[in-house]
Amino acid sequence: MSTRDVVGRYFETMRQRDWDAFAEVVADDVRYELPQTREVISGKAKYVAFNREYPGDWELTLTRLVVDGETAAGSMNFTVGDQELVGLVFLEVRDGLVSKVTDFWPEPYEPPAGREHLVDREPASVDRLSMP
Amino acid sequence: MSTRDVVGRYFETMRQRDWDAFAEVVADDVRYELPQTREVISGKAKYVAFNREYPGDWELTLTRLVVDGETAAGSMNFTVGDQELVGLVFLEVRDGLVSKVTDFWPEPYEPPAGREHLVDREPASVDRLSMP
């Protein structure tokens, strides 16, 4: 499978919570990094369990997918109840399997003062984050 | 110029704060979106001014660049004084110029409880964020 096929299947099986199929596109020694918390999950068994056990009745929509050689980047709208989050992910593929995942979950914040003369405030468009 | 050349030049001229050269790779009707604040900047003049006026003695290092057709994604380590941030950006290129930029600035947070059996905590590696 091409990198595009592998990462497409990664997101689609996650969206469907088909964890057996998800496990088939993940390398045995996959490394999952969350730089915001410095959490790392090592190995397929723990990484599939992490996803399977993730709490809440969430829904995921892939909003961007950028593929380049054996790397990819994507963005997701992630909804849990009435909360909307955006997830950003960088992936590495090796031998047709996802070998590294780096995830980011940015949160809404109030804009700093001093740039009001340059900016407009608009409703969310592609990327939907619930305001605090 | 290829998309890779255009976005490479975008990040390199930003890194060098060469705003005249930066302006040359940005479309007249560029749209810059910050979904976390719902701020939008429209047009080259305002967008270049926003970057030129951005406060602080910052330094930028591009850590990832993923290019796919006329789209790209990148990550940056951004240092201001003793604070370290990670910036994530999705770009669209049209007619050899950057026409849309979507920026995210995730912040560190404490991991939620309940997944300690699956995760390790490690020092920052590629992506460097100052802990609160």
Side-chain angles (χ1 to χ4, degrees):
Chain A
M1 285 202 287
S2 69
T3 301
R4 196 176 304 277
D5 290 340
V6 171
V7 298
R9 187 127 181 88
Y10 172 92
F11 286 113
E12 181 56 20
T13 55
M14 180 180 282
R15 191 185 70 73
Q16 295 176 342
R17 303 175 202 234
D18 183 346
W19 304 120
D20 293 337
F22 178 80
E24 287 175 12
V25 294
V26 169
D28 287 343
D29 62 347
V30 64
R31 180 179 169 90
Y32 175 74
E33 294 187 345
L34 271 167
Q36 289 165 278
T37 59
R38 294 189 180 170
E39 290 173 293
V40 175
I41 297 175
S42 301
K44 183 194 290 207
K46 286 183 178 174
Y47 184 50
V48 173
F50 172 77
N51 282 283
R52 196 189 291 269
E53 295 174 13
Y54 200 90
D57 187 20
W58 52 265
E59 287 182 27
L60 179 166
T61 306
L62 187 66
T63 51
R64 295 182 187 84
L65 185 59
V66 185
V67 177
D68 187 354
E70 293 194 304
T71 65
S75 63
M76 305 174 279
N77 288 339
F78 191 86
T79 305
V80 197
D82 60 359
Q83 192 187 12
E84 294 188 308
L85 299 165
V86 171
L88 307 168
V89 56
F90 290 89
L91 299 123
E92 295 178 16
V93 170
R94 197 187 58 232
D95 301 330
L97 298 169
V98 173
S99 58
K100 188 171 177 193
V101 180
T102 309
D103 242 5
F104 296 92
W105 296 93
E107 295 189 18
Y109 61 91
E110 283 301 312
R115 59 203 202 192
E116 301 82 355
H117 58 301
L118 300 172
V119 308
D120 299 306
R121 300 284 298 275
E122 295 191 6
S125 54
V126 172
D127 304 288
R128 301 195 313 263
L129 291 89
S130 305
M131 288 288 119
Chain B
M1 285 202 288
S2 68
T3 301
R4 197 177 302 276
D5 290 340
V6 171
V7 298
R9 188 129 181 84
Y10 172 90
F11 285 112
E12 181 57 19
T13 54
M14 180 180 283
R15 192 184 69 74
Q16 295 176 341
R17 301 174 203 235
D18 182 347
W19 304 120
D20 293 336
F22 178 80
E24 287 175 13
V25 294
V26 169
D28 286 344
D29 62 347
V30 65
R31 180 178 169 92
Y32 174 74
E33 293 187 346
L34 270 167
Q36 289 165 278
T37 59
R38 295 189 181 170
E39 289 172 293
V40 175
I41 298 176
S42 300
K44 184 195 289 207
K46 286 183 178 175
Y47 184 49
V48 174
F50 172 77
N51 282 282
R52 196 188 292 268
E53 296 174 14
Y54 201 88
D57 187 19
W58 51 265
E59 287 182 29
L60 178 167
T61 306
L62 188 66
T63 51
R64 295 182 188 85
L65 185 59
V66 185
V67 177
D68 187 355
E70 293 193 304
T71 64
S75 62
M76 306 174 279
N77 288 339
F78 191 86
T79 306
V80 198
D82 60 358
Q83 194 187 10
E84 295 188 306
L85 300 165
V86 171
L88 307 168
V89 56
F90 289 89
L91 299 123
E92 295 179 15
V93 170
R94 197 187 57 232
D95 300 331
L97 298 170
V98 173
S99 58
K100 188 170 176 193
V101 180
T102 309
D103 242 5
F104 296 92
W105 296 93
E107 295 188 18
Y109 60 91
E110 284 301 311
R115 58 202 202 192
E116 300 82 355
H117 58 301
L118 299 172
V119 308
D120 298 306
R121 302 282 300 272
E122 295 191 4
S125 53
V126 172
D127 304 289
R128 301 195 314 263
L129 292 88
S130 305
M131 288 290 117

